[in-house]
Amino acid sequence: MASRGIIVVGAASALVVMIAGAMIYTFDQPRRFVFEVELDNMTRLSGPLPETKVLVNGVETPLGHSSEVPEPVITAQGGLAKEYSPDVLPQIEVQYRYACGWKAVQVSLQQPRDDEIKDAQSQGRNIRMQAQLKEDGWVTLFTDNRGQPAHRIELGGIAHDIAKDSGDRASLLQDKRCAEGSAVKLDGRVIGALPSGPAGRSATTSRFLFDPSGKRCYTYRQVGYVAENDLAMMSDNGPEPEVIDLPAGYLHALPDEEVEYFLSPPPDKILVPENQLFPGTPYTQASVLETPCAGKGKAR
């Protein structure tokens, strides 16, 4: 049988009942629960946020900011009840305005922690919680801007500035609902659309290589690392690494896997946590390097 305890809070205005580790807050009269909601993942974007619309219980609500977290926050009124339960959580809808128009993103509210509810009630403030935003249009754009001036690129109406003479890795958003949502602009000029996937493959991808000069060639290469004591793998050097040659052009699709080494060669040895190594299975990483184009001299 679950243990039970009762604590009187304040001037007998509420009872805090603990049942099997879960807090239930009971008030003398029904009250409106108010939440301070952090919109998580909105700062992941490499560049300014697109125009954003937040609706709480069907009513548009302005975005705010907090000194405690980098993400935007909103004040959201929940349900009216005499005790706290998940039923009092507000209904939140978030929409972004992309090149193809307004688009709703999936919102998942995280249940507030018991201690957060308790502290908020005792201090007379709003209950803090997070809303996870799941957007299916995230892409990673690797840009080789070495020897080039500063540029501005745009994808789906969202701009990102690239420093001169740099290698850049940006998180952007692609809107596949119309052609404009996949168009890449360089300093205001459309230079092409994101390809669906690497040449010769049916799989789609969310990782792309961008060369503002349109004149350099590259090689994508997977490297398989094995533990020094894994003699079985070292004897035959493991499986053949995947290699993709990328001819000169502005945009290239990469396999939809992390690129650990962009414009730098992978090391001969790396340190890997032991729990990530499995006997007979290589630990794979990937690199993208500039390589000589056919009939041309040495790459940088």
Side-chain angles (χ1 to χ4, degrees), residues 62-187:
L63 284 173
H65 292 85
S66 168
S67 60
E68 299 181 8
V69 295
E71 287 80 5
V73 296
I74 59 171
T75 300
Q77 287 197 354
L80 185 68
K82 291 184 66 175
E83 66 180 29
Y84 175 85
S85 74
D87 294 335
V88 303
L89 293 177
Q91 299 294 317
I92 298 177
E93 180 181 352
V94 178
Q95 299 178 12
Y96 290 148
R97 187 171 187 173
Y98 300 142
C100 309
W102 288 100
K103 179 184 178 184
V105 300
Q106 181 179 329
V107 180
S108 298
L109 290 179
Q110 289 190 340
Q111 175 74 15
R113 302 188 313 271
D114 290 342
D115 61 338
E116 173 57 36
I117 301 172
K118 178 181 177 181
D119 291 345
Q121 298 302 333
S122 63
Q123 298 170 19
R125 60 171 174 79
N126 299 338
I127 301 172
R128 297 193 182 106
M129 62 184 301
Q130 279 190 335
Q132 296 285 342
L133 305 183
K134 184 178 180 181
E135 167 58 68
D136 59 5
W138 285 109
V139 300
T140 302
L141 190 65
F142 298 87
T143 301
D144 182 2
N145 203 41
R146 295 171 301 161
Q148 297 285 313
H151 289 296
R152 168 165 288 192
I153 58 173
E154 293 180 55
L155 174 62
I158 300 174
H160 170 63
D161 292 323
I162 302 174
K164 67 177 183 180
D165 194 26
S166 67
D168 185 85
R169 183 182 309 211
S171 293
L172 299 172
L173 287 164
Q174 178 186 18
D175 188 353
K176 298 181 180 180
R177 297 176 299 168
C178 65
E180 291 82 358
S182 297
V184 178
K185 292 183 179 180
L186 176 63
D187 299 327

Side-chain angles (χ1 to χ4, degrees), residues 45-59:
L45 192 65
S46 299
L49 285 172
E51 187 178 352
T52 306
K53 183 188 299 184
V54 180
L55 289 84
V56 178
N57 303 320
V59 178

